[in-house]
C-alpha cells in the first residue's frame, strides 16, 4: 500500500493526476475535486466502478475517457455489485496465479451520487457492505438528482426546492428529512465509515487513506456542492462548502467498526444555518416570512444533531 | 490561444465532437476504451506529459471553448501553497515538484475556484476576459490591499 | 488446487446437477448468484462443491439477481471465467444487466432453468423467461434434457470466450421437467472436460494495470448505432464458432449438436417446431404417427435460439407442406415469437409452407404425446386441403371454449 504524503499541500501536489481534464462536469463541480483527491491519495493501482450519474456521464462519453485507471460503469444502481465482482475476480485469480502482475498493489473503489447511493442503489450497496468485499465506496452527495436536472432524492434536505419537491405558493420545498446514510452504513458493521467535505482537504485525504488502508468495506459520504442545482456561482464551491461544514449542516466525523465515533472537525466559530441557506438559490424561498419558521426548525435540528454526535463521541459508542 | 504550461503535442488537440466518426466496423469492441497507446508501468509514477495517451483519453481533447473568462497566473506573487491545485475541478493547475507552474488552458473551464481560494494579497490568480493576453493581463495586476481595520 | 471428482461413466443427474457439474469442471473463477426456484439447486450444488474443496474460485452470494448479474459483469471485465444461474422473476430482474453484459462484450455463462413469469405467480416451467432474453444480445442455447444441459454448458464457455465471439451465453433447460428430473448423464472426467473448455483468455481486462481500460462508456446519437450494429453482427457471426465448438465436442464425446436439430425430416410432409422438453415429446409423437397412421411427421428444434438460425430453419423446413410452431410463452396480443421468426424465414423460400401457431404448456401445463399427435394430424389436414383449415393461432391444453385467432385469407 503506497499512500501519498499529505502532511502539507506542497507534498500532496507532487501526485501525478489520474483523472484527466476535458471531462464534462460543470465548471466548479465539487465531484472532480473529490475524485481527484481520492485518486491522488494513493499510488496504488485502482479499479473503479461508478454508478450512473453526473460523474459517470461526464467522464466516459465515447470516444473519450477521463480515467487513467481501470474503470467500469454498468447501471444506475449497481457499482457496488460491479466492484464486488471485480474484487472477487482479483481474489480468485490471485489464488490461481493467473494475474498478469500478481504483486501489483490494487485498491477497489466505487463512486455513486446520492441518487444512486441513498435511493436506487441502496440495496446493492447494502449487500456489498454486508458481504465484506475489500473496497471503498464514496458517495458524492450533492443532495439531488443533478444529472437528470434536479429532482429530489432521499438525501435532499428539508426546505430545499427541487424540480420534484418544488417551493411554491403552498410549499416550502422538500418536507422529508435527509436520510442518515452514515448511520445506516455504520450499522452494517462496516469497519470504517465517515463523512467528509472537500474544503477540509487534509481531513478528507486522511479519511480516504484510512478507508483505502482498511481491509473490508468502507463507506465515505462526501459533501459535493453543486453549482447548478444548489444555485450558486461556480467560483464559490469551496466557500459554500465552508458554510456547510461551519454551520454544522454537514458535520465531519468518522465511525470505526460501527461504534467508535470521532468528530474530525470542530468549527472555531459555528455559523447560523441561515448563512448557508443565503448562499444558495435552492433555499431562497425560506427567507419569506411564512417560511422563516423552517429555518428555525432546521437550526434546532442541526443543534440537536451536533449534541448527539458529541454525546456519542464522549461516550465512545 | 495560449495552450498553457507544459503543453504537449497530444494535449487538447481537438474539440469535443470534432473526432473522426468511424463506421460500425471500426468502433471499439464492447465500447471499451484504452487510455494509453502502449503499456504503462504504474501510471501514478509517470508525469502526464510523459504518458503515452491514446486518442481515447480526454487529455487529448479540449474544453477551452467553454470559457468566457479565464484565470491568469502571476508567478511573482504566488507562494506555491497549492490551494488552487487541490481544488481545481478540471485538473488544470499544473504543479510539479511542489511548484505551481501555471494553467492548462486546454482543460480549464474558467470556473474561477482557483482565484477564490488563492490566499495571497493581492491574489496570484485573477480572472480576465478570455481574449485578454496573459502578458497584458499581468500589467493590470492590482496592488496589495491594505487590511481594513 | 481444487480437488478432482471421480465420476462414473453414467451418472444419474437432474438438469440442475448436470449444469452445476459443468460449472465446476470449467473451473469458473467467479460465480455470483442468487437462488430462485427451479434453478436454486444449481447454486446449491455448486455451494456443496465450494464447501468441500472442489472449487478454487470465488462464490459470491449476492442480495438479488440484478446484483448477481452486475457482479458477474464486473468480474468478467476483471478478466476471468464467470457463471451464474437463474429462472423466471430472477431472470426478469437481471434483464437490465443482460443487455449491459452483451453490450460490453463480456463472456459469461448463465444457466437458466426456464420458468413462467408472473403475474400470476407460478414456479413451473414455461419459456416466458427465455423469450424475455431474446433481444438481450446473448447467445441462447436450449437443452432438451439433462445430458444436453451438461454438454451445452461446457460448450457455452468455449463459445462465449472465443476471441471471435466474446459474448455472454445462456444455456436454457426446462424448469422441473429437465431441472428436477433425474436422468442418465454421461459426463466427461474433470481433466477431459477442462481441457475441452480450455484456459480463460483475458481480453481488455481491468486487472492488467499496464493497460487501463474503461468499460461502459456512454454513446449518444453519433456513436450508439455503430456500436449496436457491430454487436449484432458479432452475434450473427458467432454461428460459425458455435458450429466449430459442436464439431469439436462431437469428436470428443460422439454426441452431435446442430444449431437446428432435425428429426425424421428427410421425407417429412408435416412438422412441429418446438423448444425444450417438448421436442422429445413431439419426436415420440412423430415416430408413433409414422407407425400407426403413416403420416410423414418430423420435428425441427432450434438448438440455438440466438443467433437465430435463419438459414438452417429454411433448410430444415424446405420440403414440408404444413408446420405447427409451438410457443410455450404467453404471446400477449401477438403471434408467438417463435412462430413469427419461423414464418419470416419460410416466407423467403419458394416453398412457403402453411404455418400455424400453438400456444401451449403455460405455467407448466403438461403437453402429452397425444396432443402432439393431434397437432400433427391437424397439419396433415391443412396439407391435404392446401390451406389452413383452423384459426392460425390456437391455444392447446387450456380449459374453456376453444380459443383461436385469425383465419387464413384465401381471396
Amino acid at each position: 500500500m503506497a499512500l501519498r504524503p499529505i502532511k502539507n499541500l506542497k507534498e500532496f501536489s507532487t501526485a501525478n493526476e489520474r483523472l484527466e481534464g476535458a471531462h464534462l462536469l460543470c465548471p466548479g463541480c465539487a465531484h472532480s475535486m473529490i475524485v481527484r483527491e481520492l485518486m491522488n491519495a494513493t499510488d496504488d493501482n485502482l479499479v473503479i466502478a461508478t454508478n450512473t450519474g453526473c460523474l459517470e456521464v461526464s467522464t466516459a462519453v465515447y470516444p473519450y475517457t477521463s480515467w487513467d485507471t481501470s474503470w467500469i460503469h454498468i447501471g444506475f444502481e449497481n457499482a457496488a455489485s460491479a466492484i464486488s465482482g471485480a474484487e472477487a475476480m482479483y481474489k480468485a485469480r490471485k489464488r490461481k496465479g493467473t494475474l498478469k502482475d500478481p504483486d501489483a498493489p490494487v485498491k477497489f473503489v466505487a463512486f455513486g451520487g446520492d441518487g444512486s447511493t441513498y435511493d436506487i442503489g441502496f440495496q446493492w450497496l447494502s449487500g456489498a457492505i454486508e458481504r465484506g468485499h475489500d473496497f471503498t465506496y464514496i458517495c458524492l452527495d450533492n443532495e439531488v438528482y443533478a444529472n437528470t436536472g434536479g429532482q429530489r432524492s432521499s438525501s435532499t434536505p428539508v426546505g430545499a426546492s427541487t424540480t420534484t419537491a418544488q417551493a411554491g405558493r403552498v410549499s416550502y420545498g422538500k418536507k422529508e428529512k435527509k436520510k442518515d446514510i452514515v448511520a445506516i452504513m455504520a450499522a452494517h458493521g462496516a469497519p470504517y465509515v465517515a463523512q467528509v467535505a472537500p474544503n477540509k482537504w487534509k481531513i478528507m485525504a486522511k479519511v480516504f487513506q484510512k478507508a483505502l488502508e482498511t481491509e473490508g468495506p468502507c463507506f465515505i459520504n462526501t459533501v459535493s456542492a453543486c453549482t447548478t442545482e444548489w444555485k450558486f456561482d461556480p467560483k464559490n464551491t469551496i466557500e459554500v462548502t465552508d458554510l456547510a461544514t461551519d454551520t454544522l449542516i454537514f458535520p465531519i466525523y468518522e465511525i470505526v467498526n460501527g461504534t467508535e465515533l470521532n468528530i474530525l472537525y470542530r468549527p472555531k466559530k459555528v455559523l447560523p444555518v441561515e448563512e448557508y441557506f443565503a448562499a444558495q438559490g435552492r433555499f431562497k424561498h425560506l427567507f419569506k416570512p411564512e417560511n422563516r419558521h423552517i429555518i428555525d426548525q432546521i437550526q434546532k435540528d442541526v443543534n440537536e444533531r451536533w449534541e448527539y454526535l458529541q454525546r456519542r463521541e464522549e461516550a465512545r459508542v | 490561444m495560449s495552450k498553457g504550461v507544459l503543453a504537449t503535442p497530444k494535449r487538447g488537440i481537438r474539440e469535443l465532437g470534432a473526432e473522426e466518426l468511424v463506421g460500425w466496423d471500426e468502433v471499439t469492441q464492447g465500447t471499451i476504451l484504452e487510455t494509453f497507446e502502449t503499456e504503462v508501468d504504474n501510471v501514478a509514477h509517470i508525469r502526464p506529459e510523459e504518458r503515452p495517451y491514446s486518442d481515447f483519453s480526454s487529455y487529448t481533447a479540449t474544453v477551452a471553448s467553454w470559457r468566457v473568462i479565464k484565470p491568469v497566473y502571476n508567478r511573482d506573487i504566488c507562494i506555491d501553497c497549492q490551494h488552487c491545485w487541490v481544488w481545481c475541478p478540471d485538473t488544470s493547475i499544473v504543479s510539479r515538484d511542489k511548484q505551481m507552474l501555471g494553467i492548462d488552458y486546454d482543460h480549464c473551464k474558467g470556473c474561477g475556484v482557483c482565484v477564490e481560494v488563492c490566499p495571497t494579497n493581492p491574489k496570484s490568480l485573477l480572472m480576465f476576459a478570455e481574449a485578454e493576453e496573459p502578458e497584458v493581463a499581468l500589467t493590470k495586476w492590482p496592488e496589495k490591499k491594505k487590511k481594513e481595520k | 488446487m481444487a480437488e478432482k471428482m471421480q465420476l462414473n461413466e453414467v451418472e444419474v443427474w437432474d438438469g440442475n446437477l448436470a449444469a452445476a457439474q459443468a460449472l465446476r469442471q470449467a473451473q469458473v473463477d467467479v460465480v455470483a448468484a442468487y437462488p430462485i426456484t427451479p434453478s436454486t439447486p444449481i447454486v446449491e450444488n455448486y455451494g456443496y462443491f465450494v464447501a468441500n474443496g472442489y472449487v478454487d474460485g470465488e462464490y459470491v452470494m449476492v442480495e438479488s439477481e440484478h446484483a448477481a448479474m452486475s457482479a458477474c459483469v464486473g468480474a468478467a471485465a476483471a478478466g476471468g471465467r464467470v457463471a451464474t444461474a437463474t429462472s423466471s422473476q430472477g431472470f426478469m430482474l437481471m434483464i437490465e444487466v443482460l443487455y449491459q453484459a452483451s453490450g460490453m462484450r463480456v463472456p459469461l455463462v448463465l444457466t437458466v432453468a426456464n420458468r413462467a413469469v408472473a403475474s400470476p405467480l407460478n414456479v413451473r416451467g414455461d419459456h416466458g423467461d427465455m423469450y424475455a432474453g431474446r433481444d438481450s444480445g446473448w447467445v441462447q442455447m436450449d437443452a432438451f434434457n439433462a445430458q444436453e444441459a451438461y454438454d451445452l454448458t461446457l460448450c457455452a464457455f468455449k463459445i462465449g470466450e472465443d476471441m471471435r465471439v466474446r459474448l455472454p451465453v445462456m444455456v436454457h433447460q426446462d424448469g422441473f421437467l429437465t431441472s428436477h428430473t433425474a436422468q442418465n448423464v454421461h459426463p466427461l472426467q474433470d481433466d477431459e472436460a477442462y481441457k475441452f473448455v480450455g484456459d480463460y483468455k483475458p481480453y481488455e481486462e481491468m486487472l492488467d494495470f499496464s493497460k487501463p481500460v474503461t468499460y461502459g462508456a456512454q454513446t449518444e446519437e453519433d456513436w450508439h448505432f455503430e456500436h449496436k450494429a457491430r454487436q449484432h453482427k458479432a452475434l450473427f457471426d458467432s454461428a460459425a464458432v458455435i458450429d466449430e465448438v459442436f464439431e469439436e465436442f462431437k469428436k470428443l464425446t460422439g454426441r452431435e449438436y446442430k444449431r437446428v436439430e432435425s428429426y425424421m425430416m428427410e421425407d417429412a410432409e408435416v412438422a412441429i417446431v418446438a423448444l425444450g422438453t417438448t421436442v422429445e415429446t413431439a419426436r415420440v409423437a412423430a415416430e408413433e404417427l409414422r407407425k400407426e397412421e403413416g403420416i410423414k411427421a418430423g420435428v425441427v428444434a432450434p438448438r440455438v435460439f440466438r443467433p437465430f438460425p435463419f438459414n438452417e430453419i429454411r433448410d430444415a423446413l424446405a420440403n414440408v407442406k404444413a408446420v405447427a410452431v409451438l410457443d410455450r410463452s404467453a404471446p400477449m396480443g401477438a403471434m408467438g415469437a417463435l412462430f413469427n421468426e419461423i414464418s419470416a424465414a419460410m416466407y423467403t423460400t419458394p416453398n412457403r409452407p402453411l404455418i400455424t401457431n400453438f400456444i401451449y404448456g403455460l405455467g407448466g401445463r403438461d403437453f402429452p404425446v397425444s396432443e402432439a399427435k393431434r397437432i400433427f394430424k391437424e397439419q396433415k389436414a391443412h396439407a391435404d386441403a392446401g390451406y389452413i383449415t383452423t384459426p392460425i393461432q390456437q391455444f392447446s391444453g387450456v380449459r374453456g371454449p376453444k380459443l383461436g385467432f385469425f383465419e387464413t385469407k384465401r381471396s
Side-chain angles (χ1 to χ4, degrees), chain B residues 19-25 27-36 38-40, chain C residues 103-105 166 203-204 210-215 219 222-223 226-227 229-230 233:
Chain B
E19 60 280 349
E20 191 197 349
L21 293 170
V22 297
W24 64 265
D25 52 332
V27 294
T28 61
Q29 177 168 314
T31 328
I32 301 163
L33 296 169
E34 293 180 0
T35 305
F36 301 111
T38 52
E39 293 195 355
V40 289
Chain C
M104 292 186 211
R105 303 286 301 275
R166 299 309 278 196
Y203 174 77
E204 302 285 35
S210 68
K211 227 177 103 186
V213 283
T214 287
Y215 271 87
T219 57
D222 49 353
W223 290 101
E226 283 69 28
H227 282 284
R230 179 171 179 166
K233 183 168 189 301

Side-chain angles (χ1 to χ4, degrees), chain B:
Chain B
M1 188 201 305
S2 171
K3 300 269 291 174
V5 70
L6 287 186
T8 70
K10 284 232 150 190
R11 196 180 79 194
I13 53 174
R14 77 185 87 72
E15 287 280 335
L16 295 170
E19 60 280 349
E20 191 197 349
L21 293 170
V22 297
W24 64 265
D25 52 332
E26 288 184 69
V27 294
T28 61
Q29 177 168 314
T31 328
I32 301 163
L33 296 169
E34 293 180 0
T35 305
F36 301 111
E37 261 171 9
T38 52
E39 293 195 355
V40 289
D41 186 19
N42 196 343
V43 68
H45 297 154
I46 311 172
R47 292 181 167 189
E49 55 275 21
E50 288 154 11
R51 294 175 185 164
Y53 290 106
S54 76
D55 286 351
F56 295 128
S57 171
S58 68
Y59 177 85
T60 66
T62 178
V63 285
S65 63
W66 289 31
R67 281 195 307 269
V68 285
I69 49 173
K70 69 181 173 193
V72 173
Y73 172 56
N74 190 330
R75 175 72 229 167
D76 294 343
I77 309 163
C78 177
I79 56 169
D80 290 313
C81 69
Q82 306 295 346
H83 281 192
C84 54
W85 173 82
V86 79
W87 284 309
C88 174
D90 290 298
T91 320
S92 295
I93 301 296
V94 182
S95 289
R96 298 287 181 270
D97 304 320
K98 305 182 185 177
Q99 272 205 4
M100 156 64 165
L101 299 185
I103 291 153
D104 167 358
Y105 284 119
D106 295 313
H107 299 140
C108 169
K109 294 175 187 145
C111 67
V113 164
C114 54
V115 172
E116 290 304 302
V117 300
C118 180
T120 61
N121 182 5
K123 285 182 184 288
S124 322
L125 287 151
L126 286 172
M127 300 306 285
F128 287 87
E130 177 62 21
E132 186 87 271
E133 286 300 327
E135 300 74 37
V136 180
L138 287 171
T139 65
K140 299 177 178 173
W141 221 261
E143 292 296 309
K144 183 171 178 169
K145 260 193 220 161
K146 294 223 169 95
K147 271 196 180 164
E148 285 168 31
K149 296 242 166 120

Side-chain angles (χ1 to χ4, degrees), chain C residues 100-112:
Chain C
Q100 284 153 338
S102 60
M104 292 186 211
R105 303 286 301 275
V106 289
L108 63 98
V109 172
L110 170 60
T111 52
V112 187

Side-chain angles (χ1 to χ4, degrees), chain C residues 174 177 272 274 277-289 299 326 328 358-362 364-377 395-398:
Chain C
D174 280 2
L177 292 175
I272 278 179
T277 47
T278 306
V279 175
E280 297 195 336
T281 305
R283 285 173 181 173
V284 173
E287 277 176 30
E288 289 184 8
L289 272 183
V299 180
L326 276 49
R328 196 169 201 161
F358 286 86
I359 307 303
Y360 78 103
L362 302 190
R365 178 64 49 86
D366 193 27
F367 182 75
V369 173
S370 57
E371 178 64 0
K373 282 179 167 173
R374 191 191 68 73
I375 289 172
F376 271 128
K377 283 192 227 171
F395 273 56
S396 156
V398 71

Side-chain angles (χ1 to χ4, degrees), chain C residues 238-258:
Chain C
S238 70
V241 176
I242 296 170
D243 290 344
E244 268 180 42
V245 170
F246 283 170
E247 188 58 35
E248 202 178 319
F249 192 77
K250 182 182 156 191
K251 277 190 196 137
L252 181 67
T253 64
R255 294 193 287 275
E256 182 174 31
Y257 292 101
K258 290 187 172 154

